[in-house]
Amino acid sequence: MAKVVVLEKDVADKIAAGEVVDRPASIVKELVENSLDAGATRVEVELEEGGRRRITVTDNGCGMMLEDAVLALERHATSKIRAADDLYAIRTLGFRGEALPSIAAVSTLRILTCAEGEETGIAVTVERGEVSAAEQRGAPRGTQVTVTELFANVPARLKFLKAVPTELSHIVDLVIRFALSYPDVAFRLSHNGRAVFASQGSGDPLNTVVAAYGREVAREMLPVDSGEGAPVRVQGYISRPAVTRTSRSYQSFFVNRRLVRTPILTRALDEAYKGYVPAGRFPIACLFVTVDPAVVDVNVHPTKMEVRFAAERDVFQAALRAARQALAGANLAMPALPPRVEQSIQVQTAGERPAVAPPPAPSAGSGAPVGEALEDPFAGLVVREPVADLAPKGK
Ligand SMILES: Nc1ncnc2c1ncn2[C@@H]1O[C@H](COP(=O)(O)OP(=O)(O)O)[C@@H](O)[C@H]1O
Ligand SMILES: [Mg+2]
């Protein structure tokens, strides 16, 4: 056996990157989470070649000061938690302080940022983990992060990237899910200069459903709410039993607004739809669990997509009850579509289709943009009805 040594920083960073960053979509996820944590009301994602050539995420959030922007590139540098105890009360999407250095370790990363109240912005460039330039530069308030040369220094990972349409569809999926859980934030996603998806940020989750799946689907969604007062609240939308898909990929689950994978909610849905849908068909669903952060552990996996609940049963029961109630009342109520849906934009390129589910719970906060208005690259875009893959329906 050789001697034990502490790994060099660049090796450690690459190992961490292996856990957090495995494809363009995981980079988009981390960058958008940072934008949301920064309080952005507008988040724009621009991609080239499915993100393989370029990913740019621009927000109008709080921005960073020079020292913070440089420090943020260090591992375990975070403004979001301070002490181990904070891990038990996480209210932000990020907390591990690993995303930026991990991404920077396997790409060329540029940050252009301007903090609130600052006269000028700053630009920092990191190439393969080393800061190569940091200078003052004019910038609107907020932050823009651009990632290029992805995995140029990790050929093994580069090999595993899928074709552009596949990588793109993962990102479309993801951005739609963010838009569902943050209806008060205006999201835009473009690919090779073409608009792919946009949400209004109106605060009304049904507008996001319309933008993502079209009015037809939005009309078939039933509101779900287990009610206030209990330690666990489950809200959201589920589809009428006549509207199903052949996979679960149109089911989205969020815990305290964080997109998660959890078998508990999957099982609750299966149970609620028993007898309503045939085997092999799955309802569309978008469920939001609100629970005291102290009883949920999100520090289970580096991607923060897995969670553990202290009271799994309560979560299961609340979801089951809420879904059953919605289904039982299904013939009584049709959800009213929000007004002015025609403002939603949905443009899809051939072969791309978002595979996701519906909307979230009411959100606090207003959608009013703050700070510098970003130029609107989508202005004048032709609006048309979405063509999302709608399984045959009818009741
Ligand atoms: N878009 C952004 N706007 C403002 N601050 C940001 C942004 N992205 C990153 N930061 C700052 O950089 C820090 C490090 O980010 P990251 O590596 O993703 O770790 P984490 O999100 O876990 O704190 C964050 O804590 C935050 O202070
Ligand atoms: Mg982060």
Side-chain angles (χ1 to χ4, degrees):
M1 269 288 188
K3 225 167 133 287
V4 174
V5 292
V6 174
L7 294 174
E8 295 283 339
K9 178 185 170 302
D10 67 321
V11 182
D13 284 350
K14 267 197 197 171
I15 291 173
E19 291 168 345
V20 182
V21 180
D22 62 348
R23 63 192 325 167
S26 46
I27 292 180
V28 173
K29 173 173 178 286
E30 296 294 336
L31 297 181
V32 171
E33 285 188 354
N34 282 347
S35 297
L36 293 169
D37 282 342
T41 56
R42 285 166 168 246
V43 178
E44 178 167 4
V45 180
E46 295 164 87
L47 308 169
E48 280 177 34
E49 300 305 316
R52 299 175 57 146
R53 191 188 298 265
R54 178 173 70 95
I55 298 168
T56 300
V57 174
T58 309
D59 68 52
N60 65 346
C62 66
M64 283 176 271
M65 312 272 261
L66 179 62
E67 333 61 281
D68 292 336
V70 173
L71 196 59
L73 296 161
E74 296 285 321
R75 263 176 77 213
H76 310 304
T78 178
S79 56
K80 299 169 194 173
I81 60 171
R82 290 281 180 269
D85 275 357
D86 297 345
L87 279 174
Y88 304 103
I90 288 171
R91 289 172 198 280
T92 50
L93 294 167
F95 58 87
R96 299 172 60 97
E98 279 193 335
L100 290 182
S102 295
I103 298 166
V106 295
S107 70
T108 295
L109 185 144
R110 288 191 182 78
I111 301 177
L112 179 63
T113 185
C114 183
E116 199 161 13
E118 289 295 295
E119 300 261 294
T120 149
I122 46 161
V124 181
T125 303
V126 200
E127 279 167 290
R128 298 177 188 191
E130 295 296 323
V131 176
S132 60
E135 60 190 26
Q136 293 206 319
R137 190 176 308 163
R141 195 200 109 168
T143 302
Q144 179 172 74
V145 178
T146 298
V147 176
T148 52
E149 320 273 345
L150 180 60
F151 300 140
N153 58 340
V154 199
R157 185 133 298 182
L158 201 55
K159 270 210 307 259
F160 282 102
L161 286 184
K162 299 280 189 289
V164 166
T166 309
E167 296 300 340
L168 176 63
S169 78
H170 284 288
I171 297 172
V172 173
D173 239 54
L174 181 75
V175 173
I176 287 177
R177 286 174 147 119
F178 274 120
L180 289 167
S181 65
Y182 288 80
D184 46 343
V185 175
F187 286 90
R188 286 167 170 206
L189 172 63
S190 67
H191 184 240
N192 295 343
R194 291 181 59 193
V196 175
F197 169 79
S199 70
Q200 292 177 319
S202 66
D204 187 336
L206 264 183
N207 272 330
T208 309
V209 185
V210 173
Y213 306 120
R215 304 177 70 132
E216 296 299 304
V217 167
R219 226 176 242 132
E220 302 296 326
M221 301 307 292
L222 305 165
V224 164
D225 190 352
S226 65
E228 266 171 301
V232 177
R233 184 172 187 182
V234 177
Q235 291 162 283
Y237 290 88
I238 58 176
S239 64
R240 286 170 185 277
V243 181
T244 55
R245 296 292 183 264
T246 53
S247 82
R248 294 187 195 278
S249 55
Y250 289 75
Q251 300 182 348
S252 306
F253 305 124
F254 305 84
V255 173
N256 294 343
R257 292 183 116 189
R258 177 192 305 280
L259 177 65
V260 298
R261 295 194 200 101
T262 163
I264 298 164
L265 294 174
T266 316
R267 269 191 265 125
L269 276 183
D270 285 352
E271 189 65 28
Y273 279 81
K274 228 180 228 165
Y276 282 101
V277 299
R281 303 292 306 187
F282 303 93
I284 300 174
C286 185
L287 294 180
F288 291 81
V289 177
T290 311
V291 61
D292 180 345
V295 300
V296 44
D297 185 1
V298 289
N299 194 22
V300 179
H301 188 269
T303 60
K304 300 165 287 179
M305 275 196 67
E306 275 159 44
V307 289
R308 271 193 213 121
F309 297 106
E312 292 198 350
R313 249 200 103 65
D314 292 352
V315 176
F316 177 82
Q317 292 296 350
L320 177 60
R321 204 176 51 242
R324 277 191 174 150
Q325 263 167 16
L327 289 169
N331 294 327
L332 308 175
M334 286 279 270
L337 275 185
R340 304 190 1 219
V341 283
E342 61 287 348
Q343 278 187 11
S344 302
I345 299 166
Q346 163 89 11
V347 178
Q348 288 179 267
T349 48
E352 303 163 5
R353 116 198 121 61
V356 187
S363 52
S366 87
V370 280
E372 213 90 358
L374 300 172
E375 199 192 316
D376 189 348
F378 290 70
L381 192 75
V382 179
V383 176
R384 67 175 168 84
E385 282 291 336
V387 287
D389 116 287
L390 307 183
K393 43 184 180 310
K395 301 170 236 15

